Amino acid sequence: MDAFALVAGGAAALGVTCVAALLHLLHGRRALLRKTAALEDMVETLTDRVFELAESEERHRGLIDAQGDLIVRRDGAGVITFANRAFGELVGRPAADLVGRSHAPLVLDRSEERREPDGSRSTDELIATPSGRRWIAWRHHPVLDDEGRADEMQSVGRDITDRKAAEDALASSRARAESANEAKSRFLATVSHEIRTPLNGIMGMADLLLDTRLSPDQRTYAEAVKSSGEALLALIDEILDFSKIEAGRLDLDTAPFDLLPIIEGAAELLGPRAQAKGLDVATSVAPDVPARLMGDATRLRQVLLNLAGNAVKFTEAGGVTIAAERDGDHLVLTVTDTGPGIAPADVERIFGEFEQGETTFARRHAGTGLGLAISRRIVALMDGTLQVTTAPGAGATFTVRLPMTIAAGPAEPDERLTGLSILVISPSPIERDALTRRLAARGAGAAACTGPGDIPAEAGWDTAIIDHRLGADGVADALAVLAGRARRTVLLVRPAERSAIAGWRERGIGGWLVSPVREASLVMQMRAQGEGSAEDLAEESSGSGREAKRATGPAITVLIAEDNAINALLCRKLVEKLGHRPVWVTDGRAAAATALDPEAHIDLVLMDMQMPDCDGLSAAKMIRAGEGEGRRLPIIALTANAFPEDRAAAIAAGMDSFLTKPLDRDRLAEALDRYAAVTTPGRGPAARRRAKARP
């Protein structure tokens, strides 16, 4: 029993153990199955991820290949680790075959390497490829690893062969254009010289002819010749200015200048033309406008003459006013006329090149249509604006607005007329209004009326200005009305009416003004007491006659170097009329020999720049080289070329001044007087003889 029980107990224990082991195995199997399922899910997920990555890589490679740029990556040893299809096509090999190789294309030319702001480097290379030479613009970027070290270099290139070809074509076109511009400039300079040379003779001889006794018909013909020459000269100057603007060669010469003489000079220059049409020309400068400014006076004068000249040309009745005002730190110049005005559709058109105010074949006014275009370009170079305000039938106002820079130096005292009462009697609204504004600006109590019948009753004045345009009876009536009521009377006349002054002085006129009225003359006459002096008459009538001014300084001997016989004749006659002694030679070598000859007693040289055998520049250098220490003979260049480089060449060759043909009598007289005054004993003939005799 005991043995049987023992066996039965062991069997039971073994069964329990087996059951427990079986249960454990079942539990482990279930766990293993769960892990297997999880691993299978992970494998499937990884497989999907690998597929997605491969698909993404293919997609990105497709994008890289599709963009057309060359992409190649190299390690530190220069071995290719990646290349896109475009790079493979460039070198003629599949991109996959390039990986692991240190292949580099043949570089034929390379630009200088540039460092970019982001640290990358860029350069342009001309590469030899199976399809020919190609220009590639490369940009090299370092590729950093996880630790920030640059273990690879990625290069991105773009084919710029077409761009390089376009740049070369553009450069070639630019070179051809510059060459054409140079040729045009040389052509214009030659044409200008060749036209100005005979024009100098035509205008000069006409001027000399007008100084002689002529019948009325002969004087009319001579004046027509001169005016036609002046019109041709203006046409040449406009074409030259326009060509310089187009070529970008018009430079401004900034220097201190006085504004008032420019405005008054423009009015005086246009006065005869305006008064011949029965027009008035008046000027007005506001009292707060600085007297002295910085800028290019010559170009500013050109703009004013263009604008005022057009105003006179197109105005048939009334007149033209040139005014200057200050607006903050800007100078505002206006030219106002009473002409026909401009249609709104034509306001901008007239500022174009070769545009006319009248566009039909029946137009009455000639011109190139360049004046306004040139003026607007010049004003733009001055950082200013040129605009017009107008309406058909209401005249036009051209406004120039320029930044204003006041010239350094003490300001001249403003002569005030405070406390003076002045009456202006004139039938001209242009003249009447301008004079009233100018007098009021200087502090005077100014009143105005149109004729003797409008003079205010029982009022008295310090000065009354009576316009000669009232007629003889009108002036006489005004004098009668003002008897005992005006301390002084001043007659306003036009230049052609100066001869009437003497007769009116005998009838009580105490002074006179010439229209257009200068500011200095206006102030002088308003402050004067009693009758105008002889000196006043000389001042007011200066330049009124046809006779040339005589030399104000000592007579000198002037050497004229000119190969053109007609121009030489003109120059000799002008020098003689100015009271000096001319000596004529026809070439540069003779000029140098005569100038340095102590027996010739030469005090000044007028040197033509273009002469056969030896030109004026060479002759000037020969004279300067042959002069002794402490001596300098004044040399004035004469040329038909009007370009700045000609002036610079003359100064560089040792000349002292520059006169442009056609030769202007007044400018020649001014130059001779200036240098005659400085022909001191140390520079004169005696000193030159002593210097010549020194070893």
Side-chain angles (χ1 to χ4, degrees):
M1 217 31 213
D2 293 336
F4 178 78
L6 182 61
V7 171
L14 180 60
V16 171
T17 302
C18 290
V19 170
L22 182 59
L23 290 174
H24 180 73
L25 288 173
L26 289 173
H27 179 74
R29 183 175 178 274
R30 290 192 189 98
L32 183 60
L33 289 174
R34 286 196 300 271
K35 289 182 179 180
T36 301
L39 289 173
E40 288 176 350
D41 290 341
M42 186 180 297
V43 169
E44 185 177 355
T45 301
L46 291 174
T47 301
D48 292 341
R49 182 60 178 161
V50 169
F51 178 76
E52 290 174 359
L53 290 173
E55 188 178 48
S56 176
E57 182 180 356
E58 187 64 27
R59 185 164 54 250
H60 286 117
R61 178 179 287 276
L63 290 173
I64 291 173
D65 288 339
Q67 71 175 350
D69 284 348
L70 315 173
I71 301 176
V72 60
R73 183 177 292 185
R74 290 181 170 87
D75 61 17
V79 176
I80 296 175
T81 59
F82 172 82
N84 71 341
R85 185 173 59 196
F87 183 79
E89 291 174 352
L90 176 74
V91 299
R93 299 184 66 175
D97 292 351
L98 295 173
V99 177
R101 300 174 180 271
S102 58
H103 182 83
L106 177 61
V107 177
L108 304 175
D109 193 9
R110 179 185 287 112
S111 70
E112 184 177 352
E113 189 173 79
R114 302 175 295 276
R115 178 73 65 176
E116 304 297 338
D118 61 358
S120 62
R121 296 176 290 107
S122 60
T123 185
D124 298 341
E125 293 180 344
L126 179 61
I127 295 175
T129 73
S131 59
R133 298 182 174 188
R134 311 296 296 177
W135 275 101
I136 307 297
W138 290 106
R139 193 155 188 173
H140 307 292
H141 301 264
V143 179
L144 306 180
D145 60 13
D146 295 338
E147 297 180 359
R149 293 176 300 183
D151 59 351
E152 288 188 335
M153 181 67 69
Q154 178 171 290
S155 301
V156 179
R158 177 165 294 180
D159 192 327
I160 59 169
T161 304
D162 293 340
R163 191 189 79 188
K164 280 286 189 179
E167 289 174 353
D168 291 343
L170 180 62
S172 178
S173 298
R174 185 185 296 112
R176 288 196 299 271
E178 290 174 352
S179 177
N181 273 334
E182 289 294 328
K184 182 178 72 173
S185 297
R186 289 193 300 270
F187 171 75
L188 287 172
T190 301
V191 169
S192 170
H193 181 273
E194 295 304 319
I195 294 177
R196 282 173 178 270
T197 297
L199 191 60
N200 181 51
I202 293 171
M203 294 177 62
M205 290 301 175
D207 212 23
L208 291 176
L209 187 61
L210 288 169
D211 287 341
T212 63
R213 292 184 178 275
L214 300 173
S215 69
D217 284 346
Q218 291 171 333
R219 182 165 295 277
T220 299
Y221 301 153
E223 289 175 346
V225 170
K226 186 179 180 184
S227 64
S228 297
E230 290 171 345
L232 180 57
L233 181 61
L235 173 63
I236 295 170
D237 288 339
E238 283 190 349
I239 294 175
L240 288 175
D241 280 341
F242 182 71
S243 69
K244 283 187 274 189
I245 291 173
E246 286 292 294
R249 298 174 57 192
L250 186 66
D251 298 322
L252 299 179
D253 183 15
T254 302
F257 71 93
D258 293 323
L259 178 63
L260 186 59
I262 292 178
I263 295 176
E264 292 180 341
E268 289 176 357
L269 188 61
L270 296 171
R273 192 196 314 172
Q275 290 159 4
K277 297 177 66 175
L279 304 177
D280 297 316
V281 179
T283 62
S284 175
V285 179
D288 59 344
V289 175
R292 195 161 177 79
L293 301 172
M294 294 294 296
D296 190 328
T298 300
R299 293 301 175 186
L300 184 60
R301 183 183 297 108
Q302 179 181 356
V303 170
L304 283 179
L305 285 174
N306 269 333
L307 298 179
N310 280 345
V312 171
K313 180 194 298 185
F314 290 101
T315 301
E316 299 300 330
V320 177
T321 302
I322 306 173
E325 298 177 352
R326 181 174 184 172
D327 183 11
D329 57 354
H330 282 77
L331 174 67
V332 180
L333 302 171
T334 58
V335 177
T336 304
D337 64 61
T338 58
I342 305 167
D346 294 332
V347 166
E348 282 302 316
R349 180 186 63 80
I350 60 173
F351 288 101
E353 293 87 1
F354 305 103
E355 292 288 351
Q356 299 280 351
E358 301 168 312
T359 57
T360 66
F361 288 110
R363 61 188 178 96
R364 294 172 295 168
H365 306 289
T368 61
L370 287 174
L372 288 177
I374 291 171
S375 296
R376 178 170 271 188
R377 300 274 192 101
I378 291 174
V379 171
L381 284 174
M382 296 176 175
D383 297 325
T385 59
L386 171 57
Q387 303 293 336
V388 60
T389 304
T390 182
T397 298
F398 286 84
T399 302
V400 177
R401 185 179 178 86
L402 298 170
M404 183 172 59
T405 303
I406 301 175
E412 294 184 5
D414 185 19
E415 294 192 64
R416 306 293 294 170
L417 301 176
T418 306
L420 295 180
S421 58
I422 301 168
L423 175 66
V424 179
I425 311 170
S426 174
S428 165
I430 300 290
E431 196 77 74
R432 188 173 62 243
D433 294 345
L435 286 175
T436 304
R437 284 201 310 271
R438 292 165 65 178
L439 292 168
R442 290 189 175 271
C449 61
T450 59
D454 300 323
I455 297 176
E458 299 181 359
W461 293 273
D462 293 300
T463 303
I465 302 174
I466 305 174
D467 195 335
H468 192 259
R469 277 167 286 194
L470 292 170
D473 292 340
V475 174
D477 291 344
L479 287 173
V481 173
L482 293 170
R485 298 170 58 189
R487 296 181 179 179
R488 190 167 186 269
T489 54
V490 174
L491 187 66
L492 176 64
V493 299
R494 296 185 177 190
E497 300 166 341
R498 282 188 172 96
S499 58
I501 293 174
W504 285 110
R505 287 185 63 188
E506 298 174 356
R507 300 175 65 175
I509 288 291
W512 50 90
L513 290 168
V514 179
S515 179
V517 179
R518 286 177 175 262
E519 192 73 11
S521 300
L522 179 63
V523 173
M524 177 192 71
Q525 290 291 357
M526 296 307 98
R527 295 176 66 89
Q529 301 295 325
E531 295 187 356
S533 65
E535 289 77 14
D536 297 338
L537 178 61
E539 188 275 337
E540 289 293 348
S541 60
S542 62
S544 61
R546 285 290 314 160
E547 189 63 32
K549 295 185 293 185
R550 303 292 292 179
T552 59
I556 60 174
T557 300
V558 180
L559 174 63
I560 301 170
E562 170 64 71
D563 62 306
N564 184 287
I566 295 176
N567 286 335
L569 174 61
L570 169 64
C571 200
R572 295 203 314 272
K573 291 299 182 183
L574 287 177
V575 169
E576 288 173 353
K577 282 181 173 290
L578 293 171
H580 302 297
R581 298 180 297 275
V583 175
W584 177 37
V585 295
T586 59
D587 65 79
R589 295 189 188 281
T594 306
L596 295 173
D597 183 1
E599 301 302 323
H601 300 175
I602 302 300
D603 298 298
L604 182 143
V605 180
L606 295 177
M607 184 79 74
D608 185 24
M609 288 182 64
Q610 292 192 12
M611 292 182 289
D613 185 32
C614 179
D615 60 31
L617 298 177
S618 301
K621 293 176 182 176
M622 293 166 62
I623 293 172
R624 293 294 177 236
E627 288 178 321
E629 185 178 354
R631 294 180 297 137
R632 185 176 178 88
L633 181 67
I635 304 175
I636 300 176
L638 298 179
T639 180
N641 291 335
F643 290 98
E645 49 266 33
D646 298 306
R647 182 185 302 271
I651 300 302
M655 300 191 193
D656 299 284
S657 189
F658 190 93
L659 291 176
T660 304
K661 298 175 184 176
L663 200 57
D664 182 82
R665 179 193 338 220
D666 293 335
R667 290 183 181 177
L668 176 62
E670 180 184 349
L672 294 183
D673 284 346
R674 181 169 68 250
Y675 286 106
V678 298
T679 305
T680 62
R683 292 178 176 172
R688 287 198 291 273
R689 286 196 300 273
R690 289 194 299 271
K692 186 90 172 180
R694 285 199 298 264

